Amino acid sequence: MRYRCFCFATLIRAAINACGWTKKYGVLRDLLEECESHGAFERSAALAIWHGDIGECVAALQRGAEEVRALVQDTSNHQSSHANHNLETYAETLNLIAMCVAGFNVTNCADGTMKSSPVWSNACESLLRRPDISETVKSPPSIGVPYLRAICTFLLNIGQVKGFNQTIYDDGLSLADRVAFACRFLSRTDLRAFLDTSLRKCLKTGNLEGLLITGLDKRGIGLLQSYVDRYSDVQSTALISCRVVLPTEWAAERRACTEWLDSYRMLLNNWQMWHSRAAFDVGRCDHLRRLKGGTFQSSGGRRGVSTKKQFQIENELSQSNFPPQLWARCNYCNSSLSLSKLRRQEGIANSWLSRQKPVLTCCPQCKKPLPRCSICLLSMGCLNPYMELQRERNQYPRGGMTMMGAGGMQGSMEDLSGLANIPFAEWFTWCMRCKHGGHAHHLVGWFTKHSTCAVSGCDCRCQFDGIEKLCRPGSSTNRD
């Protein structure tokens, strides 16, 4: 029993630390200074009173009042007299709460409970009815008002049964502070009930603060999905999920994370934020490499990681570390013309594509013509994603290995040469400097006799060193 209590106390300390209540060496003053550096004097005072330091609570409130008065003096010429009056009233309220906290005193009753004096309790309750800190106020002058109410209600409810419920279920307070408060003051049964209630509420409202309770386990991935469904913010979920490696057994969760990552990368590409998308890809691969390096640094039997976990990280790294790629895009709708992207895009009219040839001369999305070859002036072609998908299904019937099967979406990115009906000689080829191009074999024939671009009026010297190694039409070997 003693060992079990010790383990529970260790978990409680770890939870409080995760909530941000523990700074270096456990010094309370460091935590309060961090809050006040962000202007959160009300939260600083609440943390001080929750740690049993009335003196620090009073000092924080007084510093907050001085800060508000200094703000009134600095903005007296820019703000209306009504706004300045509200700030002056709020500074007065901070001083009143500071005096109320300084006069707090409790007596021990005969039954062993603690009780505050009736005079002090009446004064504190009347203070809570002030318009600027009342729960009925719609637009408080500061977002720290819930912490002022929490200070007074905490002192009023000391010694009462279920006296802390008003604090832990106050949505105006940060969930991290409420969880740390519950870990510090509630019993194990009440703590579990509070965490379960808070988690259900977070899942219902899509509140990402609930990740503090769940972590990035299956419930955490479900919370991220609820957040996406409610707010359509795929960026936040992609940035959160990209930092973890989920077990291979979590097929549904891994699929959801992959969809968020691909949607976010495609969103950046559609916004033409290619540098940001490239920085995101590089950062994710670097993070996975650090995870991989950390697993192999353990020696002497310390912090060893299972071989299964190492394999998962290596697999994730190999799937995310794509070689450098260039994709052709439609000039009109900006859709990617690579087969791997076209196959994943939704909204493509399969009924229309099913009636087209295997090689299209227009964009599958907007039906606008593709660029023309600068030599033959014919439209260059791209693969019909519908026809290629049908050909793949015929080649790999149901139950067999498919390009989108065990390897997932990344498997199709590795090699699509087996699906290509277009010979390499007819692929898109263009100059990275002048952006002019055409069919590969036409450019080979042009640059055997010319050194400048084939487009009239362009003097770009597009000739590149490997042009002679391209395969000419009808030739089975490459030129050396």
Side-chain angles (χ1 to χ4, degrees):
M1 178 64 68
R2 184 177 302 175
Y3 174 74
R4 185 177 301 174
C5 294
F6 172 77
C7 291
F8 181 72
T10 303
L11 294 175
I12 288 295
R13 286 195 296 269
I16 292 176
N17 183 31
C19 294
W21 274 27
T22 305
K23 296 302 175 184
K24 190 176 182 180
Y25 306 121
V27 179
L28 174 63
R29 185 62 203 152
D30 295 340
L31 176 60
L32 303 184
E33 288 179 353
E34 180 182 347
C35 294
E36 295 178 12
S37 65
H38 295 89
F41 293 92
E42 301 90 345
R43 181 171 181 261
S44 175
L47 293 177
I49 201 68
W50 290 338
H51 283 81
D53 197 331
I54 293 180
E56 286 288 355
C57 176
V58 173
L61 292 172
Q62 291 174 344
R63 287 191 293 270
E66 295 175 358
E67 186 75 14
V68 172
R69 290 195 178 94
L71 180 63
V72 172
Q73 295 177 359
D74 294 340
T75 60
S76 58
N77 297 330
H78 305 284
Q79 291 186 352
S80 63
S81 58
H82 179 70
N84 289 333
H85 175 71
N86 289 340
L87 291 176
E88 291 175 355
T89 304
Y90 186 66
E92 178 185 350
T93 301
L94 291 177
N95 281 326
L96 288 176
I97 296 178
M99 289 189 292
C100 182
V101 173
F104 172 73
N105 191 16
V106 294
T107 57
N108 294 323
C109 301
D111 56 356
T113 60
M114 295 184 297
K115 187 177 181 181
S116 58
S117 64
V119 176
W120 183 90
S121 298
N122 292 333
C124 188
E125 290 175 353
S126 64
L127 189 61
L128 286 173
R129 290 192 292 269
R130 285 179 62 91
D132 49 351
I133 64 172
S134 174
E135 294 184 0
T136 59
V137 64
K138 295 183 179 180
S139 57
S142 172
I143 59 175
V145 167
Y147 285 94
L148 298 181
R149 292 197 297 263
I151 293 172
C152 297
T153 56
F154 173 74
L155 296 178
L156 281 171
N157 294 321
I158 286 181
Q160 299 183 15
V161 179
K162 302 292 183 180
F164 298 138
N165 286 353
Q166 193 171 355
T167 300
I168 61 177
Y169 291 109
D170 185 356
D171 293 334
L173 304 177
S174 168
L175 181 60
D177 290 334
R178 289 187 283 143
V179 169
F181 180 92
C183 291
R184 186 178 179 88
F185 294 104
L186 298 187
S187 64
R188 185 181 303 188
T189 303
D190 294 338
L191 174 60
R192 184 178 184 85
F194 163 71
L195 294 178
D196 291 340
T197 302
S198 300
L199 180 56
R200 286 195 298 269
K201 189 171 184 179
C202 289
L203 289 172
K204 182 179 180 181
T205 60
N207 186 4
L208 289 184
E209 283 188 303
L211 292 176
L212 181 67
I213 302 175
T214 63
L216 283 177
D217 59 1
K218 288 190 175 183
R219 296 177 302 173
I221 301 299
L223 178 58
L224 291 177
Q225 184 64 60
S226 175
Y227 175 77
V228 172
D229 295 340
R230 189 176 183 86
Y231 300 104
S232 302
D233 180 9
V234 72
Q235 179 184 33
S236 298
T237 54
L239 293 177
I240 293 173
S241 60
C242 74
R243 302 189 63 84
V244 297
V245 179
L246 300 181
T248 54
E249 296 82 6
W250 298 5
E253 289 75 14
R254 289 173 63 89
R255 190 183 311 112
C257 292
T258 301
E259 289 178 357
W260 297 333
L261 290 173
D262 289 340
S263 298
Y264 179 52
R265 297 175 71 252
M266 190 176 298
L267 183 66
L268 293 177
N269 288 333
N270 290 337
W271 288 345
Q272 299 185 9
M273 300 176 64
W274 296 297
H275 288 232
S276 300
R277 194 266 307 155
F280 174 73
D281 291 340
V282 172
R284 171 165 165 75
C285 291
D286 289 344
H287 177 69
L288 292 174
R289 289 192 189 95
R290 286 194 296 268
L291 289 179
K292 179 182 177 182
T295 58
F296 294 107
Q297 288 175 358
S298 59
S299 60
R302 296 178 299 173
R303 298 180 61 186
V305 181
S306 64
T307 305
K308 184 177 182 180
K309 186 67 175 178
Q310 294 175 2
F311 173 77
Q312 292 174 3
I313 295 177
E314 289 178 349
N315 187 41
E316 192 81 12
L317 181 60
S318 62
Q319 292 178 354
S320 301
N321 190 16
F322 298 136
Q325 303 174 45
L326 289 176
W327 291 333
R329 292 182 174 274
C330 176
N331 290 329
Y332 299 96
C333 67
N334 205 31
S335 297
S336 174
L337 299 178
S338 62
L339 181 60
S340 58
K341 293 297 180 182
L342 289 174
R343 286 163 53 117
R344 291 205 299 266
Q345 290 179 1
E346 298 180 358
I348 296 180
N350 288 341
S351 60
W352 179 81
L353 289 175
S354 62
R355 300 191 300 269
Q356 305 304 313
K357 297 179 179 181
V359 179
L360 302 175
T361 58
C362 63
C363 173
Q365 284 283 5
C366 65
K367 315 295 190 302
K368 297 294 182 63
L370 294 175
R372 296 179 181 273
C373 174
S374 60
I375 307 297
C376 67
L377 299 182
L378 297 178
S379 296
M380 291 185 286
C382 73
L383 292 175
N384 185 338
Y386 179 86
M387 300 299 293
E388 292 301 322
L389 184 60
Q390 291 296 324
R391 194 171 72 88
E392 179 202 358
R393 289 174 177 172
N394 295 333
Q395 183 176 358
Y396 301 101
R398 178 174 296 183
M401 181 66 68
T402 65
M403 295 291 291
M404 300 293 287
M409 211 172 302
Q410 291 81 1
S412 63
M413 297 289 293
E414 296 292 338
D415 183 17
L416 286 172
S417 59
L419 297 179
N421 282 327
I422 302 179
F424 179 73
E426 299 180 12
W427 281 14
F428 280 63
T429 306
W430 66 92
C431 173
M432 295 300 297
R433 186 181 297 110
C434 66
K435 306 300 185 295
H436 297 145
H439 298 117
H441 68 289
H442 289 164
L443 294 179
V444 171
W446 173 267
F447 284 114
T448 55
K449 300 179 181 180
H450 305 82
S451 59
T452 58
C453 181
V455 177
S456 177
C458 180
D459 57 355
C460 177
R461 304 181 69 85
C462 307
Q463 177 78 29
F464 58 93
D465 295 337
I467 192 72
E468 295 183 355
K469 296 183 180 180
L470 289 176
C471 183
R472 295 292 304 273
S475 175
S476 59
T477 60
N478 296 337
R479 294 186 177 181
D480 296 328

